[in-house]
Amino acid sequence: MKGLFIRTYGCQMNVYDSERIRDVLRPLGYAPVDAPESADLVVVNTCHIREKATEKVYSELGQLKRMKEASGGRMTIAVAGCVAQAEGEELIRRQPAVDLVLGPQAYHKLPEMIARASRAIGDRLETEFDTVEKFDALPKTRDADGPAAFVSVQEGCDKFCTFCVVPYTRGAEMSRRVDDIVLETRSLASQGVREITLLGQNVNAFHGPAPAIEGGEDWTLGQLCRHLAKIGGIERIRYTTSHPRDMNDDLIAAHGDTPALMPFLHLPVQSGSDRILKAMNRGHTAGQYRDIIARVRHARPGIAIASDFIVGFPGESDADFEATMQLVRDIGYAIAYSFKYSSRPGTPAAEMHGHVSEAVKDERLQTLQALLRLQQTEFNAAQIGKTLPVLVTGKGRNAGQMHGRSPYLQAVHFDGPESLNGQIVDVRIVGASLNSLTAELLQVREGAL
Ligand code: SAM
Ligand code: SF4
């Protein structure tokens, strides 16, 4: 057995990719280890979305270099993901201890690259774009790691928001075949997975070909969700991350007619100012976003809404920022992620006039986050007294405690036996804080204990 250590940065797509990297390396005798020091192969799966994320990668590589030297050169260092795609050979130039560089579309080639590297021949770099090849080449079944799992259904992005590197690092938008998604989901369900999260950079742009028996037409994400909900064992379906422009009527209807589709929607809006949304090339107005949320809430009353925000986009005035604050007040978020605008080389926004100072960005971020924290706390507190079904995902921090997640994706802690792991149980919510809920176990469904 050889030791494999994977460090994952960035989005859930990267978390999923790291699991697939682990899967393709298992037949070569690589097994996960807990620390990079004891690994023969270290894969750093990187994120390029903001400058800070990229810098973290270089500092981690510096530490790995020292470990590699201490191991007498035995350790192989591979850099995967979006920094690998964006920086390519520059990465090897800046950190020569790196043995392999592979972009997000090249993971299935990792075994071949390692073999070549061990014979000290050939290329260290694989950053070709071929999503179709990647989807086809990765194993169709995989090992589950607990009762909740990600399933990739779509990759890449054609939206070209002016601030974003994803269309350059992940390539063109591309959907996976429904047959393959079903195979992977069935394999997960047979291993006890109860909840799947369908993943894609633009997941609701999904338009994968349906199975021949269903006519072979391209399906929407709504159709896919309804189909996957029929797979025995799959009780919960989520999807992330979606774009307002692709929030079509069928997907909104699915939120009303598919109970397995969880009442949680992550729909990033980035800004509440139409002027800024236009400069960002988001392709919708704040009013259109409000309308989508109203329709989703009509289809599924009580649904939790999540979002992403960027403050300090070039040209953002106090009035533009206030429009964002007003949108947040109007919508009321269950949770949201907010970032200071980070200028990314090669993106159109990097060339725009009116870059906002760090001090103003800091102040706006603090103001926005204070409001978002308040809303999150209120949303959590509103669950007190309710009975909620919780998917138990593992042991809690204290003895005798278990944790899980609510339909609204909140972390829930309660006292209960370990045998509940992987089950969906009813709990009564008795307490709430910013980041989690506490609960009492009410009843265990038949056969759970
Ligand atoms: N496709 C998704 C969408 O359109 O909403 C988001 C994908 S992106 C990986 C995740 C989040 O990172 C974005 O929603 C945005 O808020 C943030 N982000 C992307 N580029 C950024 C930049 N240059 N500076 C700051 N935040 C950025
Ligand atoms: Fe980036 Fe915009 Fe595509 Fe999201 S939709 S991945 S923010 S370009």
Side-chain angles (χ1 to χ4, degrees):
M1 272 294 166
K2 285 170 274 185
L4 168 68
F5 183 84
I6 307 181
R7 172 88 70 209
T8 309
Y9 291 100
C11 63
Q12 282 142 333
M13 206 84 200
N14 271 11
V15 175
Y16 176 84
D17 280 343
S18 290
E19 287 173 14
R20 305 310 314 256
I21 290 173
R22 186 195 63 193
D23 292 346
V24 295
L25 291 173
R26 185 171 301 110
L28 269 73
Y30 283 97
V33 292
D34 293 336
E37 289 87 344
S38 44
D40 299 280
L41 171 63
V42 176
V43 180
V44 185
N45 196 3
T46 61
C47 174
H48 196 56
I49 200 88
R50 284 169 288 277
E51 192 180 0
K52 242 198 213 155
T54 312
E55 282 315 309
K56 253 198 232 158
V57 170
Y58 279 110
S59 105
E60 165 115 33
L61 289 176
Q63 289 169 20
L64 288 173
K65 174 181 179 258
R66 286 186 284 282
M67 286 180 209
K68 182 175 180 161
E69 284 163 0
S71 79
R74 179 184 54 89
M75 179 191 280
T76 301
I77 302 175
V79 183
C82 293
V83 174
Q85 186 65 44
E87 308 261 301
E89 279 187 51
E90 174 63 21
L91 230 159
I92 301 177
R93 248 197 307 275
R94 249 181 97 171
Q95 184 46 271
V98 170
D99 299 285
L100 303 170
V101 176
L102 63 157
Q105 260 53 265
Y107 300 144
H108 55 291
K109 297 190 180 156
L110 192 53
E112 175 194 328
M113 290 175 75
I114 290 173
R116 276 200 256 138
S118 67
R119 286 181 308 222
I121 52 164
D123 305 332
R124 297 157 80 186
L125 192 69
E126 182 60 70
T127 50
E128 289 286 297
F129 267 137
D130 200 339
T131 320
V132 186
E133 198 187 310
K134 174 186 171 185
F135 274 151
D136 285 348
L138 286 171
K140 301 275 187 285
T141 57
R142 42 190 273 252
D143 288 351
D145 198 8
F150 293 125
V151 175
S152 170
V153 302
Q154 180 276 343
E155 275 224 19
C157 182
D158 295 336
K159 296 281 190 295
F160 288 93
C161 298
T162 52
F163 53 80
C164 185
V165 290
V166 167
Y168 311 99
T169 58
R170 289 271 175 171
E173 201 279 310
M174 153 80 210
S175 294
R176 198 175 175 194
R177 299 161 49 80
V178 173
D179 272 337
D180 292 347
I181 298 168
V182 169
L183 264 179
E184 186 170 329
T185 306
R186 281 218 185 99
S187 137
L188 291 167
S190 71
Q191 299 172 68
V193 167
R194 296 285 156 265
E195 175 175 309
I196 52 166
T197 301
L198 309 179
L199 277 188
Q201 257 91 32
N202 233 292
V203 70
N204 57 342
F206 175 82
H207 56 94
I213 190 170
E214 304 276 354
E217 301 271 294
D218 281 1
W219 271 1
T220 64
L221 187 65
Q223 288 171 293
L224 177 68
C225 289
R226 290 189 190 96
H227 191 68
L228 296 176
K230 292 186 211 144
I231 294 179
I234 297 300
E235 297 193 40
R236 296 178 159 202
I237 299 175
R238 305 178 185 278
Y239 59 88
T240 199
T241 301
S242 30
H243 192 290
R245 257 158 68 192
D246 294 314
M247 208 60 216
N248 56 49
D249 291 347
D250 183 55
L251 183 54
I252 294 177
H255 276 282
D257 63 33
T258 312
L261 197 50
M262 288 290 96
F264 181 93
L265 173 65
H266 186 181
L267 193 66
V269 64
Q270 316 299 352
S271 169
S273 153
D274 287 346
R275 213 173 61 81
I276 296 297
L277 286 169
K278 190 155 190 257
M280 287 176 164
N281 191 33
R282 291 289 290 180
H284 63 85
T285 62
Q288 285 164 336
Y289 179 85
R290 281 185 170 85
D291 180 56
I292 294 167
I293 299 295
R295 286 192 290 135
V296 171
R297 282 182 160 155
H298 182 71
R300 187 83 189 243
I303 189 168
I305 305 293
S307 190
D308 294 352
F309 294 92
I310 295 177
V311 299
F313 184 82
E316 186 186 71
S317 65
D318 286 343
D320 293 318
F321 176 64
E322 174 49 31
T324 299
M325 291 293 287
Q326 191 54 46
L327 181 85
V328 173
R329 284 182 213 112
D330 292 346
I331 301 285
Y333 287 99
I335 189 165
Y337 306 90
S338 44
F339 313 99
K340 287 188 281 180
Y341 168 73
S342 170
S343 179
R344 309 309 289 126
T347 58
E351 311 295 320
M352 287 180 188
H353 297 296
H355 278 260
V356 176
S357 73
E358 274 308 299
V360 170
K361 282 191 215 170
D362 277 332
E363 198 186 307
R364 287 181 186 165
L365 190 66
Q366 278 178 32
T367 309
L368 174 62
Q369 289 187 340
L371 176 58
L372 291 170
R373 272 198 300 273
L374 192 72
Q375 291 192 343
Q376 187 171 328
T377 307
E378 279 172 3
F379 181 82
N380 288 349
Q383 312 303 321
I384 295 176
K386 283 192 195 164
T387 297
L388 295 180
V390 165
L391 174 67
V392 187
T393 48
K395 281 200 279 183
R397 239 176 278 141
N398 305 330
Q401 201 183 49
M402 299 298 289
H403 69 72
R405 50 173 74 151
S406 78
Y408 308 111
L409 208 52
Q410 295 144 304
V412 184
H413 304 279
F414 63 96
D415 286 341
E418 244 180 82
S419 56
L420 294 183
N421 200 11
Q423 310 290 327
I424 295 177
V425 297
D426 285 335
V427 302
R428 191 193 328 275
I429 307 301
V430 295
S433 65
L434 174 64
N435 292 315
S436 64
L437 304 177
T438 45
E440 287 169 358
L441 184 61
L442 273 189
Q443 66 183 70
V444 177
R445 290 182 189 186
E446 214 179 313
L449 274 173

